[in-house]
C-alpha cells in the first residue's frame, strides 16, 4: 500500500511559467514533508521541507503548500527554468523513516 | 567535505552470485538507510539502522542482508535469493529524527544481473 502518491508521472512546462507538482498521502501521523530533486544516475538532493504545523514554506523560487485536511502537498516552482528539469519526489516522515512517492518527471521547455 | 560515498557506481553480477554494495558516510549521522529504485515505483526501503550493531528490515528486505559494525559504514549484500536484483540502489543517512533535516543521499549504485 502506497502511503505517499504522486499521480502525475510527468509534467511539461514552458520556461518562465509556473510548475505545480502534486502529492497525496494517507497517513495522518506524518509530521514532516520534503521534496527531493533527482537527476538521472544521481542520488536525490533535498529541495524544500515543511512541518505539519505549517501550511506554507517558501525558499526562493520554490514554495511548498500543505493542506492537512485534504492530505495534499504541492510544490510550486516560479519561474520555471530549464535547469529545473528533473524527477521530483515528495516524501513524508513519521519518526525516523521517510515514505516516498513514485516521482514526477518535470521537463521545462526553453 | 562531508557526504556519503557509494561504490561502485556500476556493478554487474552473474545470476547466483552474492554481491556487496558499499556505503560510507563522514557526516557523523547515526541513522543509515538502503533504498531501491525501480522505474515507476519510487524509492522502496530495504533496511535501515539507527545505531551501530542494530538494524531493521524495511518493506522489501527479502534477499538482502546488511551489517552495521561501524557508525560510518552500512554495506548491503544482494544475495542469490533476491529474484529481481537489477535496480538502482541508494544509500542515505540522517540525524534522528529524520524529519527535521531529511536524508542525505549517496550518488547510487546501478546493479545489473547478466
Amino acid at each position: 500500500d502506497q502511503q505517499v502518491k504522486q499521480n502525475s508521472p510527468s509534467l511539461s512546462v514552458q520556461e518562465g511559467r509556473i510548475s505545480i507538482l502534486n502529492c497525496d498521502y494517507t497517513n495522518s501521523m506524518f509530521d514532516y514533508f520534503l521534496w527531493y530533486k533527482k537527476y538521472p544516475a544521481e542520488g536525490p538532493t533535498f529541495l524544500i521541507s515543511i512541518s505539519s504545523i505549517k501550511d506554507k514554506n517558501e525558499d526562493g523560487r520554490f514554495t511548498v503548500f500543505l493542506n492537512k485536511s485534504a492530505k495534499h502537498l504541492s510544490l510550486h516552482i516560479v519561474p520555471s527554468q530549464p535547469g529545473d528539469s528533473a524527477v521530483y519526489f515528495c516524501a513524508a516522515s513519521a519518526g525516523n523513516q521517510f515514505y516516498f512517492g513514485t516521482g514526477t518527471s518535470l521537463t521545462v521547455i526553453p | 567535505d562531508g557526504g556519503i560515498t557509494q561504490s561502485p557506481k556500476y556493478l554487474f553480477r552473474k545470476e547466483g552470485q552474492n554481491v556487496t554494495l558499499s556505503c560510507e558516510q563522514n557526516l557523523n549521522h547515526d541513522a543509515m538507510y538502503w533504498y531501491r529504485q525501480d522505474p515507476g515505483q519510487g524509492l522502496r526501503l530495504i533496511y535501515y539502522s539507527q545505531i551501530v550493531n542494530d538494524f531493521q528490515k524495511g518493506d522489501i528486505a527479502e534477499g538482502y542482508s546488511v551489517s552495521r559494525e561501524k557508525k560510518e559504514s552500512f554495506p548491503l549484500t544482494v544475495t542469490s535469493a533476491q529474484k529481481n536484483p537489477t535496480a538502482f540502489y541508494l544509500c542515505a543517512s540522517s540525524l534522528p529524527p529524520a524529519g527535521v533535516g531529511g536524508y542525505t543521499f549517496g550518488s547510487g549504485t546501478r546493479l545489473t544481473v547478466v
Side-chain angles (χ1 to χ4, degrees):
Chain A
D1 57 337
Q2 192 85 16
Q3 297 193 54
V4 179
K5 298 179 182 179
Q6 293 175 258
N7 293 318
S8 298
S10 62
L11 175 68
S12 291
V13 173
Q14 289 285 339
E15 181 179 3
R17 304 294 291 271
I18 184 171
S19 295
I20 301 176
L21 294 88
N22 294 304
C23 179
D24 297 297
Y25 62 95
T26 57
N27 189 343
S28 58
M29 298 301 292
F30 287 145
D31 56 1
Y32 221 79
F33 303 87
L34 278 70
W35 284 93
Y36 284 89
K37 179 179 180 179
K38 184 182 182 300
Y39 294 113
E42 293 184 10
T45 55
F46 170 77
L47 192 59
I48 192 169
S49 65
I50 188 168
S51 164
S52 61
I53 63 174
K54 296 186 176 182
D55 55 19
K56 177 183 175 181
N57 188 28
E58 191 171 353
D59 183 3
R61 295 187 297 114
F62 303 91
T63 303
V64 57
F65 295 93
L66 177 62
N67 183 334
K68 288 187 290 294
S69 61
K71 294 190 177 67
H72 180 79
L73 187 71
S74 64
L75 174 68
H76 292 208
I77 306 173
V78 183
S80 300
Q81 300 174 353
D84 296 329
S85 297
V87 176
Y88 290 78
F89 290 96
C90 68
S93 77
N96 285 324
Q97 182 179 338
F98 271 101
Y99 296 85
F100 287 84
T102 53
T104 296
S105 178
L106 173 65
T107 301
V108 180
I109 304 165
Chain B
D1 286 339
I4 296 183
T5 301
Q6 288 187 245
S7 61
K9 194 169 181 66
Y10 298 95
L11 188 58
F12 296 88
R13 190 196 88 174
K14 291 183 179 180
E15 285 194 27
Q17 285 183 339
N18 292 354
V19 64
T20 297
L21 284 60
S22 171
C23 178
E24 303 277 335
Q25 56 100 357
N26 60 3
L27 299 166
N28 202 32
H29 284 172
D30 291 310
M32 297 187 74
Y33 310 80
W34 274 105
Y35 282 86
R36 167 178 173 148
Q37 185 188 11
D38 294 282
Q41 295 202 47
L43 305 180
R44 292 183 292 167
L45 182 65
I46 304 172
Y47 267 99
Y48 65 102
S49 167
Q50 297 184 25
I51 194 170
V52 173
N53 293 322
D54 187 45
F55 47 83
Q56 287 79 40
K57 292 182 179 180
D59 300 321
I60 55 166
E62 185 176 350
Y64 299 96
S65 66
V66 293
S67 63
R68 187 86 186 277
E69 297 176 1
K70 299 187 300 181
K71 187 175 185 178
E72 302 79 16
S73 178
F74 191 41
L76 173 74
T77 297
V78 184
T79 74
S80 56
Q82 169 50 234
K83 299 305 179 187
N84 296 295
T86 295
F88 188 60
Y89 291 87
L90 284 162
C91 179
S93 70
S94 73
L95 286 169
V100 178
Y103 293 164
T104 299
F105 281 93
S107 57
T109 293
R110 181 164 296 281
L111 173 64
T112 303
V113 173
V114 297

